[in-house]
Amino acid sequence: MNHCCQQHTDPVCGMKVDPQKTPHHAEHAGTTWHFCGARCRERFIADPQKYLSPADKPAEAVPAGTIHTCPMHPEVRQAGPGTCPKCGMALEPEMPGLDDEENPELRDFTRRFAFTLPLTLVVFVLAMFGHRFGWLPVDARTWLELALSAPVVLWAGWPILERCVQSIANRSPNMWTLIGVGVAAAWGYSLVATVAPALFPPTFHEHGRVGVYFEAAAVIVSLTLLGQLLELRARSKTSAAIKALLRLAPKTARRLRDDGTEEDIDLSHVHVGDRLRVRPGEKVPVDGIVLEGRSNVDESMLTGEPVPVEKTVGAEVIGATLNGSGSLVMRAAKVGSATVLAQIVQLVAQAQRSRAPMQRLADKVSFWFVLAVFAVAIATFVTWGLIGPDPAWTFAVLNAVSVLIIACPCALGLATPMSIMVATGRAAHVGVLFRDAEAIERLRRVDTLIVDKTGTLTEGRPAFRAAIPAPGTNADELLRIAASLDQASEHPLADAIVAEARRRGLSLDKHESFESSTGMGVRGQVAGRSIAIGNTALVQQLGIDVSALVPQAEALRREAASVMFVALDGALAGLLAVADPLKATTPAAIDALHAAGLRIVMATGDGVATANAVAQRLRIDEVHGEMRPKEKIELVQRLKAEGRGVAMAGDGINDAPALAGADVGIAMGTGTDVAMSSAQVTLVRGDLRGIVRARAISHATVRNMRQNLGFAFLYNALGVPIAAGVLYPLTGLLLSPMIAALAMSLSSVSVVANALRLGTLDLDQ
């Protein structure tokens, strides 16, 4: 029993309610509801979901943008924006929404940067050229630099200092630890030098005052903010793939009422079972079944296939695809988060937030790298202070700060997540869905592909092939009597026979009895006559001689057809052949996979003769027929034991164990939910050519990640020693903390920019 609310009051007007039956909506028929009166009953009829109690409401997805996560540490999740406790990076919406406002951190950093940049420039000019201002006393200049730099460091730089403290408290040293300590050291040292210069020995004095570095602290803060602005803007582009998918969905649907009238409703108000009209040029609102009409539907926006697909009565349509010139009436079958588009968006978001094995190595390296940088900074400070030229301790402070700033591990941390996020978005646009980053990394190492036959190489929908009558019977009569009995069968082969008889307009009789023999065929009575349909074993059991049609049967089997003999009143009446046709794309896909260097192995539950016929036609390297699910997983394990990288492609429940056991499981999007949940990769259209695209993405992504990691390591390998001053004895070159801050920011931006190149990857070659 459902109530409009648990307190038995109407959710709209608050009045007490009375129980009434509600037959107006099929999905709620027979359920007891409570209403205060006729007006609220009418409101229920318009929108029944509004009257469900919290306990009765279906689970809904968390609103887009509610849960935020870290791009570098996806296990960190919280409600609303914030910073990562591990790396200090700004958290991003786990599922971007079309109405997302500008990133709050981007807005905040922009404001801090814009307001304090003029102060930073003035401090910089005073520090570099202030000695030329004869009218400004030295002490006054120092105090002016302090006053102007304080807002920059203490207000604009507050997020930096806050994250630095957080990283130390969490024992998770990161980029903010280095920057924060460097800024605090430079500004704190200068503050003490200004307030109490007498504390410093003469070696610290230059140009009539103790050397201060307010400009270094201020410039580092401004450059860090600038780098973050550039990085945040670049990172926002990685969610473009999800937003592009979200934009595919129409905003409204046109619902047909029971009285024949039509209304436009918001897409969120569409329920399973609703009849919807899709006019020419409109997008299909949700997943469903065509009830009336004929049209060609462009599914390229979800599948990457440019050729429109013909849709007639009974055909499945996918939400967000584009209707052609015909008009369709459809029944909604999947709505909300159950639609193909919603599942694709969820898979893309999940894959973008997953961590590649290469990233785990980078995380470990980053942790120890930060500790090593602190050790180098301390060694630099002590070495320059003890044996450096005058003013030695001034050089010690500057070089130690430079080491801390330039060694920021941000580029190292961003190297792989950015590549993964862009690559999964690009893959989704061509109908390839990766479940996680590990699948992207593994797929490039695959050298052997195991494929199921039915639904993977073939359409998975048996079609009538031929009717060969025995002497004294014609083909139509043979088909008619067989279809009359097969009306009682649920077997796909029987469905194909019945469908062909109806297509020919044959009049079918009602069966009087029906018996099914598993693995052999069916028997029964139709119009007082005894009929049997089945394989050779069945007719031989009945003592019927089939030798007259054996040559024709063998010829059909060699062409991958399933053959059934038909017996009428104890005599052979003929044979029927049903075949599961190859997908139109399968031959080209197998050729492309061979060209990519893959060994193709077929593992099917079909008979050996049928399997060999298909394999010979497609030039498949190895064939295994009559395989049960257990034998398929054993085949996967044997090939893996031989040292092969094994991928398994299938679409059925019987393929699920092998999909889960392979190095990479690849499910056909046209198959079962069990298969897709067991696989790491899903091909939306079930086209094996998607594997070629997926491997191209895998190779390009791993190459891109290696480029990013290589650049990050090279940058630090060169930058840290230069910042420490190793070139000074030879060239007199020292790296200013301001230059170090600029180099640090540019390194992160360059890594993100390199990852974004994957978004333009050409996958049609």
Side-chain angles (χ1 to χ4, degrees):
M1 178 179 292
N2 292 318
H3 306 284
C4 63
C5 76
Q6 294 178 336
Q7 287 75 30
H8 300 269
T9 57
D10 192 284
V12 177
C13 64
M15 295 179 62
K16 291 184 179 180
V17 297
D18 298 315
Q20 296 186 18
K21 292 286 184 179
T22 60
H24 302 276
H25 289 270
E27 61 207 89
H28 304 299
T31 301
T32 300
W33 297 77
H34 291 79
F35 303 96
C36 69
R39 291 188 63 188
C40 289
R41 179 182 177 86
E42 292 172 0
R43 288 170 179 155
F44 166 82
I45 295 172
D47 189 1
Q49 297 296 318
K50 188 174 183 179
Y51 282 77
L52 284 168
S53 69
D56 296 316
K57 284 187 177 181
E60 295 180 354
V62 177
T66 298
I67 299 299
H68 284 61
T69 185
C70 174
M72 288 169 57
H73 300 92
E75 68 275 12
V76 175
R77 302 172 72 251
Q78 73 173 42
T83 57
C84 175
K86 294 186 176 181
C87 66
M89 183 171 288
L91 302 182
E92 298 176 342
E94 193 172 50
M95 179 65 69
L98 289 178
D99 55 352
D100 282 352
E101 297 180 359
E102 185 181 41
N103 186 320
E105 184 176 53
L106 177 59
R107 186 169 57 249
D108 180 47
F109 278 16
T110 301
R111 181 168 54 95
R112 293 175 188 268
F113 174 74
F115 286 166
T116 59
L117 180 60
L119 301 179
T120 298
L121 295 176
V122 174
V123 173
F124 178 79
V125 171
L126 287 174
M128 296 294 103
F129 310 105
H131 60 280
R132 298 183 181 181
F133 305 151
W135 52 270
L136 186 62
V138 173
D139 289 343
R141 176 158 49 94
T142 302
W143 282 96
L144 183 57
E145 289 180 26
L146 169 59
L148 294 174
S149 65
V152 180
V153 174
L154 300 180
W155 178 68
W158 184 253
I160 299 173
L161 300 175
E162 189 176 40
R163 294 176 188 187
C164 173
V165 173
Q166 184 185 49
S167 69
I168 296 172
N170 293 332
R171 298 180 181 178
S172 180
N174 53 54
M175 59 172 283
W176 302 106
T177 316
L178 299 178
I179 299 173
V181 170
V183 169
W187 197 80
Y189 166 86
S190 302
L191 174 63
V192 175
T194 301
V195 175
L199 297 177
F200 294 83
T203 54
F204 279 73
H205 289 254
E206 55 180 331
H207 303 299
R209 66 172 181 174
V210 178
V212 293
Y213 303 100
F214 293 117
E215 84 287 354
V219 171
I220 289 170
V221 168
S222 292
L223 286 175
T224 301
L225 290 176
L226 176 62
Q228 286 297 295
L229 295 180
L230 295 174
E231 181 184 314
L232 288 168
R233 292 185 189 279
R235 277 165 49 191
S236 67
K237 295 181 181 179
T238 60
S239 64
I242 291 180
K243 290 186 176 182
L245 289 170
L246 292 173
R247 290 190 190 98
L248 295 178
K251 302 297 182 184
T252 62
R254 192 165 187 82
R255 183 164 61 190
L256 277 67
R257 297 192 183 99
D258 292 339
D259 60 4
T261 60
E262 301 179 4
E263 61 176 338
D264 289 323
I265 59 173
D266 189 89
L267 195 66
S268 61
H269 292 160
V270 176
H271 305 301
V272 173
D274 283 351
R275 291 186 305 131
L276 308 172
R277 183 179 298 282
V278 187
R279 292 169 291 191
E282 288 185 336
K283 288 185 176 181
V284 177
V286 295
D287 298 0
I289 306 295
V290 176
L291 300 177
E292 301 174 18
R294 176 189 295 269
S295 185
N296 290 320
V297 176
D298 181 359
E299 299 181 341
S300 61
M301 59 187 65
L302 290 180
T303 66
E305 294 300 318
V307 180
V309 180
E310 184 180 14
K311 302 293 182 180
T312 57
V313 175
E316 296 180 357
V317 287
I318 304 173
T321 54
L322 185 64
N323 186 28
S325 58
S327 178
L328 299 174
V329 174
M330 60 173 286
R331 182 180 69 251
K334 295 180 180 180
V335 301
S337 60
T339 63
V340 169
L341 177 62
Q343 292 175 2
I344 289 175
V345 170
Q346 184 60 41
L347 278 172
V348 173
Q350 176 183 327
Q352 287 189 340
R353 302 303 176 191
S354 62
R355 300 172 68 182
M358 202 177 293
Q359 174 63 25
R360 300 189 188 104
L361 174 62
D363 287 347
K364 293 179 181 178
V365 171
S366 294
F367 177 86
W368 293 106
F369 175 77
V370 173
L371 298 181
V373 168
F374 272 112
V376 172
I378 294 171
T380 299
F381 178 78
V382 173
T383 302
W384 275 93
L386 295 178
I387 64 174
D390 291 332
W393 291 105
T394 298
F395 283 131
V397 172
L398 287 175
N399 291 335
V401 171
S402 294
V403 169
L404 291 173
I405 298 301
I406 201 169
C408 167
C410 184
L412 186 62
L414 288 172
T416 63
M418 292 300 104
S419 298
I420 294 297
M421 293 177 76
V422 178
T424 50
R426 179 73 181 97
H429 277 290
V430 293
V432 177
L433 305 179
F434 288 100
R435 192 171 71 185
D436 52 39
E438 189 170 359
I440 297 179
E441 205 167 320
R442 280 184 175 185
L443 189 57
R444 51 181 271 279
R445 296 195 295 266
V446 166
D447 57 23
T448 302
L449 174 64
I450 302 175
V451 292
D452 178 43
K453 181 183 79 69
T454 305
T456 302
L457 299 176
T458 67
E459 294 286 354
R461 295 186 297 272
F464 183 81
R465 180 68 178 276
I468 300 178
T473 307
N474 63 57
D476 280 354
E477 180 61 16
L478 172 66
L479 180 60
R480 191 189 71 81
I481 60 175
S484 296
L485 180 63
D486 270 340
Q487 290 179 102
S489 175
E490 295 181 353
H491 197 282
L493 299 182
D495 289 343
I497 292 172
V498 174
E500 177 65 14
R502 288 175 175 163
R503 189 189 69 81
R504 296 187 184 188
L506 303 179
S507 177
L508 304 185
D509 296 325
K510 185 177 180 180
H511 67 277
E512 298 162 3
S513 65
F514 179 84
E515 178 185 349
S516 175
S517 301
T518 302
M520 298 177 66
V522 296
R523 288 180 284 184
Q525 294 281 330
V526 174
R529 307 187 71 178
S530 176
I531 301 173
I533 309 169
N535 58 19
T536 305
L538 176 65
V539 290
Q540 287 180 343
Q541 186 182 83
L542 298 174
I544 298 172
D545 181 16
V546 298
S547 57
L549 296 179
V550 167
Q552 294 93 321
E554 290 301 319
L556 288 166
R557 289 189 179 114
R558 285 194 294 271
E559 295 176 2
S562 297
V563 174
M564 293 153 286
F565 292 100
V566 181
L568 180 62
D569 293 332
L572 181 64
L575 64 81
L576 301 174
V578 175
D580 185 5
L582 290 174
K583 293 180 180 178
T585 59
T586 294
I590 296 297
D591 289 343
L593 291 167
H594 274 139
L598 292 179
R599 176 177 177 79
I600 312 297
V601 179
M602 182 197 293
T604 177
D606 282 0
V608 175
T610 302
N612 283 329
V614 173
Q616 184 176 4
R617 180 176 174 184
L618 295 174
R619 298 190 299 278
I620 288 176
D621 303 301
E622 185 178 332
V623 185
H624 299 272
E626 299 180 359
M627 296 198 80
R628 296 187 295 271
K630 180 182 178 182
E631 293 168 332
K632 289 186 178 182
I633 186 63
E634 289 174 351
L635 174 63
V636 169
Q637 293 169 345
R638 177 174 64 79
L639 291 172
K640 289 173 68 174
E642 294 174 0
R644 295 183 176 275
V646 180
M648 169 72 192
D651 76 321
I653 294 175
N654 62 323
D655 298 319
L659 289 170
D663 292 314
V664 180
I666 304 172
M668 303 295 106
T670 51
T672 64
D673 291 339
V674 173
M676 285 183 276
S677 65
S678 301
Q680 292 83 45
V681 180
T682 298
L683 307 181
V684 175
R685 281 296 297 166
D687 181 354
L688 287 176
R689 290 178 298 181
I691 299 177
V692 180
R693 297 186 181 116
R695 290 187 83 239
I697 292 171
S698 173
H699 280 287
T701 304
V702 172
R703 184 167 58 248
N704 192 271
M705 288 192 294
R706 286 176 173 171
Q707 291 169 353
N708 286 344
L709 287 171
F711 177 80
F713 280 119
L714 179 64
Y715 161 80
N716 285 297
L718 295 176
V720 171
I722 293 175
V726 296
L727 297 181
Y728 182 80
L730 299 176
T731 65
L733 175 64
L734 287 177
L735 195 63
S736 164
M738 294 179 287
I739 301 300
L742 179 62
M744 176 270 297
S745 297
L746 293 178
S747 68
S748 299
V749 174
S750 63
V751 164
V752 176
N754 187 49
L756 290 174
R757 293 192 305 111
L758 290 171
T760 59
L761 185 65
D762 184 5
L763 300 174
D764 296 326
Q765 294 181 351

